[in-house]
Amino acid sequence: MISPLLANLFLHVVFDKWLEGQFPDCPFERYADDIIVHVKSKSYALQILKSIRERMARCKLELHPEKTKLVYCKRKGRDKQSKTDVRQFDFLGYTFCRRKVRTKAGKIIPGFGPAISRKSMKRISDECRRLGFHRWVHLDIHGLAAALSAKIRGWLNYYGRFYKSAMQRIFEVINRRIAKWAFNKYKRFKRRKFVGYAQRWLRLIAKDYANIFPHWQHGFTP
């Protein structure tokens, strides 16, 4: 498709080169039409936002009314925030907000960083529902793991780069679906009419085969 490419080239001239020239002290990231600009103070941020609005208007563009906002990135040594300050934002599937970070010296201090967003977790959950792998009863546990490993590894490699522990909830969803697969596959669980027995069986499997699923290898076992 040529349209996204042309749009990217257009924004490179209209925004990237313009901001570098007008505000060289403000680093920024842009992916397609999603942009983050880093500013040292709120007053300066308001000034730059006004300039960006004017620049976009001159180029027949408009900022998204809901996505466009000032976010206070709470970190050690910064001014105290007000109660009305926005404290987090989403970018490329991550939620950036105040979190505890470990310094190179090993000290834990307040910081501002990314972890998988709720929207991304919902998207993964919806993907698992769409796949319906709890019905793949023609496979054994090794076959199921082989069929799912590429997707799970992809989610881990992307969203697990920062604060991997934040993925705990989504892997609980996946483990429950694997337990449901066991419930559907084995008659001994169906006779008891309680998926909890399948979950207990899955915990035993995880002890003996901790490396079978990629997320189990990282400690996200049932």
Side-chain angles (χ1 to χ4, degrees):
M1 292 180 64
I2 193 65
S3 296
L5 177 60
L6 288 176
N8 195 49
L9 290 172
F10 183 65
L11 283 173
H12 178 67
V13 175
V14 167
F15 183 84
D16 300 355
K17 291 300 181 182
W18 171 80
L19 192 69
E20 288 172 358
Q22 294 295 315
F23 302 97
D25 57 333
C26 294
F28 68 95
E29 294 85 31
R30 181 176 67 81
Y31 182 81
D33 59 350
D34 286 337
I35 306 169
I36 299 173
V37 181
H38 303 271
V39 185
K40 294 181 179 179
S41 69
K42 187 173 183 178
S43 58
Y44 194 26
L46 290 169
Q47 176 189 338
I48 291 177
L49 180 57
K50 181 175 180 293
S51 297
I52 291 174
R53 287 188 191 279
E54 293 172 350
R55 171 65 174 175
M56 295 296 103
R58 286 197 300 272
C59 298
K60 308 301 181 183
L61 297 174
E62 185 178 352
L63 298 181
H64 194 289
E66 295 179 4
K67 287 186 176 181
T68 305
K69 55 189 174 184
L70 302 183
V71 180
Y72 177 80
C73 302
K74 173 66 175 178
R75 295 181 68 180
K76 186 178 180 181
R78 290 189 176 170
D79 295 337
K80 187 176 181 181
Q81 68 195 66
S82 71
K83 293 182 179 180
T84 59
D85 284 334
V86 178
R87 305 178 189 184
Q88 67 178 42
F89 64 91
D90 286 1
F91 186 63
L92 300 182
Y94 289 94
T95 292
F96 290 73
C97 65
R98 186 184 182 186
R99 305 179 193 276
K100 293 181 180 180
V101 298
R102 186 183 299 274
T103 65
K104 292 182 179 180
K107 187 178 180 181
I108 303 296
I109 62 172
F112 198 90
I116 184 172
S117 69
R118 289 185 178 181
K119 287 183 180 178
S120 296
M121 287 194 284
K122 184 180 184 304
R123 183 183 62 78
I124 293 173
S125 181
D126 290 344
E127 174 72 1
C128 291
R129 188 180 300 109
R130 185 189 67 78
L131 287 172
F133 59 82
H134 60 284
R135 294 190 294 269
W136 296 355
V137 294
H138 61 287
L139 299 174
D140 61 11
I141 188 73
H142 297 281
L144 183 67
L148 294 175
S149 284
K151 279 190 175 293
I152 295 174
R153 192 175 295 112
W155 293 329
L156 269 167
N157 289 342
Y158 185 77
Y159 296 109
R161 291 189 66 186
F162 308 98
Y163 295 93
K164 191 179 297 178
S165 59
M167 300 185 74
Q168 175 72 40
R169 188 176 302 174
I170 195 61
F171 288 128
E172 287 175 355
V173 170
I174 292 174
N175 285 335
R176 284 197 296 271
R177 285 196 169 269
I178 297 173
K180 193 172 180 180
W181 162 85
F183 179 80
N184 291 334
K185 181 175 179 63
Y186 298 110
K187 291 181 180 179
R188 65 180 181 272
F189 298 136
K190 281 191 173 183
R191 283 196 297 266
R192 298 189 179 189
K193 298 181 180 179
F194 180 47
V195 75
Y197 289 104
Q199 290 175 329
R200 294 173 194 172
W201 172 81
L202 197 63
R203 292 189 195 105
L204 295 175
I205 292 294
K207 289 180 180 179
D208 293 332
Y209 299 95
N211 293 327
I212 191 171
F213 289 97
H215 61 296
W216 288 9
Q217 297 172 22
H218 292 268
F220 298 103
T221 53

